[in-house]
């Protein structure tokens, strides 16, 4: 028997040397001088090859599917901490299932595996797949995990109703004349400086006022999800003193003042009712683990890791520290879409900062989308340079993966025209609930893009692609106020909306059909048309007859008109109406 370090014992055979093990080995050069990087890499390959042969029957048939080479490496990996970046339709759920089946087959008890996913639906799906394979084990949401930790430690677990925060927002805003709070600066104005309709926009029965409420709810969730306390508001105000734009400076000062009052009102309600919210629950669970410990798990598997908040990440770190468990986190930074609940993409983008000496795998072979669609959407999402570069590959091909239909006022007419032309199942997606409320369809499932995460269909129709505050992209989501609670997060314009659009576009197994408001077309659709030639416009009369480019709406001395997108090279114009 050879020398040992921790749980590693070298016996002259093949053993897996993780990134963390490698770091520790290199610190003891006298004993492990021969274990250089290339030697470690070759040793690990031999280890994996041996395991692939030993477990070939399992890896060839995980729920009826054969795993590809990268999936097999992930399933058999013995890294202390690993992040799997899984592209849309790349088989991440299958990889997680294969990982658990392998661990159990190799002698690990199901009760020694802590498996966490983002939604109850995802948990139930994995639990059923495991049961069909003869394994009974629990799969937790962070919500359920936090509750179990608190209950076993004797902490208070009285959770507040979801509407209490919204009530606190309304209670504070109802105390003020909003025009006095925000004089001469429209809170829904994102950059165009038009304050003409300020009085109308600030009335409390408008969509814009609802957007203001959602802004404060998002702010409080991000604030608590990053574990700030009330003293942070003073720091935010000091930071705001460096704002050179006087309108932004004044506006942020007023909104921060409101946000602080809302936070204090919300905290008062929680204390009065002796209740906690989800963020408090996770923080209390962290304290419970640090004080009382937790069951000695050997492996931790986390699905949808890209939507983890900083406090959830802290809980994982604490559990890992107290158990010594190996962590496998699976997610896709391209599909991080829950910032409004407190998620922070940095836990994915900067994984090694949270889990040093970790390894990153990339699942880049996809089985849902065509290569043509992946190329279009890859170019679209990677305009934000903070996204982790991935080159997704598919054996499927579709020369025209996207069709654009313009409508003026009656969206149902063009929607049914599209639906009547399609075979197979159809997913109809809207950015907001209001986008799908009044649709009249005989076939197809209607839902918001957020609810479609993890689903797929033969064809996808995306409705109400309009440029506006509550359009797609939704402009309120990039409000300047949120920069104070998005520390270190990407500042790329409409970054999360871009990821949300990516999620919508990658639900399809065949084609996407985009229904676009011809008078106020979504900037995302305009961008796709500008950057790609293999998108077909089905019913548009807004082409320039001189150069063939698109006509866009502009303002002139005599009102609105259509002008060529190639202006000033092309000066063609067309009257509206």
């Amino acid at each position: 028997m050879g020398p040992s370090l921790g749980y590693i014992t070298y016996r002259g055979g093949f053993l897996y040397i993780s990134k963390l093990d490698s770091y520790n080995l290199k610190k003891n050069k006298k004993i492990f001088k021969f274990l250089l990087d290339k030697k470690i890499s070759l040793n690990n390959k031999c280890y994996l090859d041996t395991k692939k042969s030993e477990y070939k029957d399992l890896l060839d048939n995980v729920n009826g599917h054969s795993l590809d080479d990268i999936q097999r490496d992930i399933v058999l990996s013995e890294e202390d901490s690993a992040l799997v970046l899984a592209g849309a339709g790349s088989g991440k759920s299958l990889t997680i299932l294969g990982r658990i089946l392998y661990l159990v087959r190799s002698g690990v008890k199901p009760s020694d595996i802590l498996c966490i996913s983002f939604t109850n639906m995802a948990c139930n799906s994995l639990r059923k797949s495991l049961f069909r394979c003869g394994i009974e084990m629990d799969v937790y949401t962070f919500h359920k995990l936090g509750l179990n930790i608190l209950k076993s430690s004797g902490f208070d677990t009285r959770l507040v109703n979801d509407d209490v925060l919204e009530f606190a927002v309304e209670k504070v805003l109802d105390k003020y004349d909003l025009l006095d709070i925000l004089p001469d600066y429209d809170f829904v104005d994102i950059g165009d400086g038009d304050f003409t309709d300020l009085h109308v926009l600030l009335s409390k029965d408008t969509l814009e006022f609802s957007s203001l409420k959602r802004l404060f709810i998002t702010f409080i969730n991000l604030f608590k999800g990053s574990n700030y306390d009330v003293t942070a508001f003073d720091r935010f105000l000091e930071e705001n003193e460096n704002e050179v734009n006087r309108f932004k400076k004044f506006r942020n000062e007023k909104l921060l003042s409101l946000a602080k009052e809302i936070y204090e009102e919300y905290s008062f309600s929680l204390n009065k009712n002796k209740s906690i919210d989800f963020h408090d629950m996770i923080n209390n669970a962290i304290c419970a683990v640090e004080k009382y410990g937790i069951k000695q798990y050997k492996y931790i598997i986390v699905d949808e890791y890209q939507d983890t908040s900083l406090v959830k990440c802290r809980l994982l770190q604490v559990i890992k520290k107290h158990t010594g468990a190996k962590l496998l986190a699976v997610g896709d930074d391209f599909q991080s879409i829950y910032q409004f609940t407190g998620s922070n993409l940095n836990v994915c983008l900067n994984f090694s900062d949270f889990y040093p000496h970790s390894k990153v795998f990339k699942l880049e072979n996809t089985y849902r989308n065509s290569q043509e669609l992946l190329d279009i959407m890859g170019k679209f999402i990677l305009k934000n340079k903070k996204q982790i570069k991935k080159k997704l590959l598919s054996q499927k091909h579709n020369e025209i993966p996207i069709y654009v239909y313009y409508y003026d006022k009656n969206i149902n007419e063009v929607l049914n025209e599209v639906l009547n032309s399609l075979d197979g199942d159809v997913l109809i997606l809207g950015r907001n609930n209001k986008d799908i409320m009044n649709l009249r369809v005989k076939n197809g499932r209607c839902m918001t893009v957020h609810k479609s995460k993890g689903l797929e269909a033969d064809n996808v129709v995306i409705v109400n692609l309009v440029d506006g505050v509550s359009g797609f992209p939704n402009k309120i989501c990039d409000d300047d106020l949120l920069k104070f609670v998005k520390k270190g997060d990407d500042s790329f314009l409409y970054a999360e909306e871009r990821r949300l659009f990516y999620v919508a576009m990658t639900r399809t197994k065949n084609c996407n059909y985009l229904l676009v408001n011809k008078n106020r077309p979504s900037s995302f659709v305009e961008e796709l048309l500008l950057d790609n030639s293999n998108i077909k416009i089905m019913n548009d009369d807004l082409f320039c007859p001189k150069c063939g480019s698109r006509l866009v709406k502009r303002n002139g001395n005599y009102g609105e008109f259509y002008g060529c997108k190639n202006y000033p090279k092309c000066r063609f114009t067309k009257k509206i109406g």
Side-chain angles (χ1 to χ4, degrees):
M1 181 177 292
S4 65
L5 180 67
Y7 64 87
I8 295 269
T9 301
Y10 184 71
R11 297 182 175 86
F14 296 126
L15 72 163
Y16 193 99
I17 309 296
S18 72
K19 293 279 189 179
L20 179 60
D21 299 329
S22 174
Y23 172 77
N24 289 329
L25 294 174
K26 288 174 183 176
K27 290 196 299 184
N28 197 337
K29 294 181 180 179
K30 290 182 180 179
I31 299 177
F32 294 102
K33 187 176 181 180
F34 60 91
L35 284 174
L36 303 175
D37 287 341
K38 287 185 178 179
K39 177 71 176 179
I40 290 173
S41 179
L42 179 61
N43 198 80
N44 285 354
K45 183 179 184 304
C46 292
Y47 171 91
L48 290 173
D49 287 345
T50 301
K51 290 294 181 180
K52 286 176 184 178
S53 176
E54 183 180 353
Y55 291 93
K56 185 176 185 302
D57 63 321
L58 169 63
L59 302 173
D60 283 348
N61 184 15
V62 176
N63 203 23
H65 298 274
S66 178
L67 301 184
D68 64 29
D69 285 341
I70 299 299
Q71 288 174 315
R72 292 174 190 234
D73 287 348
I74 295 166
V75 165
L76 301 171
S77 168
E78 289 295 337
E79 292 293 333
D80 181 73
S81 301
L83 172 65
V84 178
L85 293 172
S90 63
K92 72 177 181 64
S93 298
L94 198 67
T95 306
I96 290 172
L97 178 61
R99 172 71 167 171
I100 296 172
L101 294 178
Y102 160 70
L103 290 175
V104 173
R105 172 87 74 90
S106 65
V108 179
K109 295 178 182 178
S111 58
D112 289 337
I113 304 170
L114 173 59
C115 192
I116 307 168
S117 194
F118 193 73
T119 65
N120 284 317
M121 184 173 70
C123 290
N124 291 335
S125 176
L126 179 56
R127 196 180 295 116
K128 289 177 182 177
S129 295
L130 288 167
F131 185 77
R132 286 194 294 268
C133 297
I135 297 175
E136 291 189 55
M137 63 176 281
D138 213 337
V139 182
Y140 294 89
T141 60
F142 274 99
H143 182 280
K144 183 177 178 180
L145 175 63
L147 279 178
N148 281 11
I149 291 172
L150 293 184
K151 286 179 180 178
S152 64
S153 305
F155 277 69
D156 188 7
T157 58
R158 187 183 300 174
L159 281 173
V160 69
N161 291 329
D162 291 338
D163 58 358
V164 172
L165 176 54
E166 184 175 358
F167 179 76
V169 173
E170 291 175 348
K171 184 174 180 180
V172 170
L173 295 183
D174 282 345
K175 292 164 56 177
Y176 297 100
D177 180 343
L178 295 182
L179 290 177
D180 290 336
I181 297 172
L182 303 171
D184 299 325
Y185 200 88
D186 179 357
F187 66 85
V188 299
D189 180 303
I190 311 291
D192 62 14
D194 181 5
F195 314 129
T196 308
D197 298 322
L198 182 62
H199 288 264
V200 176
L201 292 175
L202 289 179
S203 65
K204 295 180 180 179
D205 59 351
T206 62
L207 180 63
E208 285 75 16
F209 181 69
S210 296
S211 295
L212 178 62
K213 289 196 297 184
R214 288 201 304 274
L215 171 62
F216 282 120
I217 290 172
T218 300
F219 180 93
I220 297 300
N221 275 317
L222 285 168
F223 185 89
K224 298 199 71 173
S226 298
N227 204 19
Y228 287 118
D229 60 30
V230 70
T231 62
F233 286 101
D234 292 334
R235 298 197 299 273
F236 295 162
L237 288 170
E238 287 179 13
E239 182 182 334
N240 190 53
E241 288 298 314
N242 297 321
E243 176 59 63
V244 295
N245 184 305
R246 66 184 183 89
F247 287 116
K248 282 187 178 181
K249 181 178 180 180
F250 178 70
R251 176 179 182 271
N252 287 338
E253 180 182 324
K254 294 298 182 182
L255 291 180
L256 284 170
S257 175
L258 278 171
K260 181 180 181 181
E261 192 169 349
I262 289 167
Y263 173 77
E264 291 174 334
E265 175 63 35
Y266 181 50
S267 299
F268 175 79
S269 297
L270 293 176
N271 292 331
K272 180 181 178 181
N273 296 297
K274 297 181 179 179
S275 58
I276 57 175
D277 65 10
F278 181 73
H279 304 294
D280 297 326
M281 181 182 70
I282 298 297
N283 278 317
N284 290 348
I286 292 169
C287 294
V289 174
E290 289 178 329
K291 186 173 183 179
Y292 301 109
I294 193 173
K295 181 186 182 312
Q296 289 299 299
Y297 293 106
K298 295 180 179 178
Y299 292 89
I300 303 171
I301 299 173
V302 185
D303 192 12
E304 303 291 1
Y305 180 75
Q306 76 280 348
D307 290 316
T308 302
S309 67
L310 290 175
V311 291
K312 289 177 186 174
C313 181
R314 176 61 182 152
L315 177 60
L316 291 174
Q317 290 176 306
V318 169
I319 294 174
K320 193 175 185 312
K321 178 182 177 181
H322 279 259
T323 63
K326 296 182 179 181
L327 170 69
L328 183 73
V330 184
D332 182 7
D333 63 296
F334 287 8
Q335 300 184 72
S336 177
I337 60 173
Y338 283 98
Q339 193 176 75
F340 66 91
T341 66
S343 70
N344 190 307
L345 187 56
N346 279 309
V347 301
C348 196
L349 298 179
N350 304 312
F351 187 76
S352 62
D353 291 345
F354 297 92
Y355 308 98
H357 316 298
S358 55
K359 182 170 182 175
V360 176
F361 296 90
K362 293 182 182 180
L363 281 178
E364 296 179 307
N365 293 321
T366 68
Y367 306 95
R368 179 191 302 151
N369 309 129
S370 67
Q371 186 63 55
E372 290 76 10
L373 180 63
L374 292 173
D375 289 343
I376 291 172
M377 296 314 299
K379 188 192 313 180
F380 176 83
I381 198 73
L382 287 172
K383 286 191 176 181
N384 181 354
K385 300 305 180 185
K386 286 198 174 182
Q387 302 288 168
I388 301 171
K389 190 172 183 179
K390 295 187 287 292
K391 177 60 177 176
L392 301 182
L393 302 172
S394 173
Q395 297 298 314
K396 295 177 66 173
H397 289 280
N398 190 346
E399 186 178 349
I400 306 293
I402 302 172
Y403 293 85
V404 176
Y405 287 77
Y406 287 94
Y407 67 92
D408 189 0
K409 295 179 181 178
N410 189 351
I411 189 174
N412 281 295
E413 184 177 322
V414 68
L415 174 59
N416 282 293
E417 176 188 340
V418 172
L419 293 177
N420 290 334
S421 69
L422 300 180
D423 294 321
D425 64 317
V426 181
L427 201 54
I428 303 167
L429 304 179
R431 169 61 182 85
N432 311 296
N433 282 314
K434 69 176 184 64
D435 294 336
I436 56 176
M437 284 175 54
N438 296 318
L439 297 180
R440 298 193 297 273
V441 296
K442 295 180 181 178
N443 58 320
R445 293 173 289 167
C446 294
M447 64 183 68
T448 62
V449 181
H450 281 100
K451 290 182 180 178
S452 75
K453 181 76 169 63
L455 302 179
E456 63 182 20
D458 293 322
N459 299 288
V460 169
V461 179
I462 306 177
V463 300
N464 286 325
L465 286 161
V466 59
D467 179 52
V469 173
S470 296
F472 204 170
N474 183 303
K475 297 183 178 181
I476 203 70
C477 294
D478 262 36
D479 193 278
D480 197 58
L481 175 69
L482 298 181
K483 71 181 181 183
F484 297 101
V485 284
K486 289 166 60 176
K487 302 298 184 184
D489 204 353
D490 58 88
S491 57
F492 193 79
L493 185 63
Y494 308 137
E496 180 149 329
E497 290 295 293
R498 186 170 288 264
R499 294 190 289 267
L500 188 62
F501 190 63
Y502 178 89
V503 168
M505 296 288 284
T506 53
R507 298 308 93 201
T508 185
K509 291 188 264 185
N510 294 315
C511 297
N512 284 301
Y513 300 83
L514 311 184
L515 275 53
V516 183
N517 186 305
K518 69 185 297 183
N519 298 310
R520 291 186 298 150
S522 162
S523 60
F524 284 169
V525 177
E526 295 287 276
E527 181 181 325
L528 291 182
L529 288 169
L530 191 64
D531 292 347
N532 303 280
S533 58
N534 55 337
I535 299 174
K536 189 171 183 178
I537 298 175
M538 301 300 291
N539 64 343
D540 183 32
D541 59 355
L542 297 182
F543 276 107
C544 177
K546 283 192 174 182
C547 70
S549 183
R550 293 263 304 137
L551 298 180
V552 295
K553 186 181 288 188
R554 303 186 188 278
N555 284 305
N557 294 332
Y558 302 101
E560 290 186 323
F561 66 96
Y562 288 119
C564 183
K565 203 173 185 72
N566 278 339
Y567 178 86
K569 290 183 179 179
C570 179
R571 295 178 176 272
F572 178 83
T573 61
K574 177 182 176 181
K575 291 182 180 180
I576 292 180

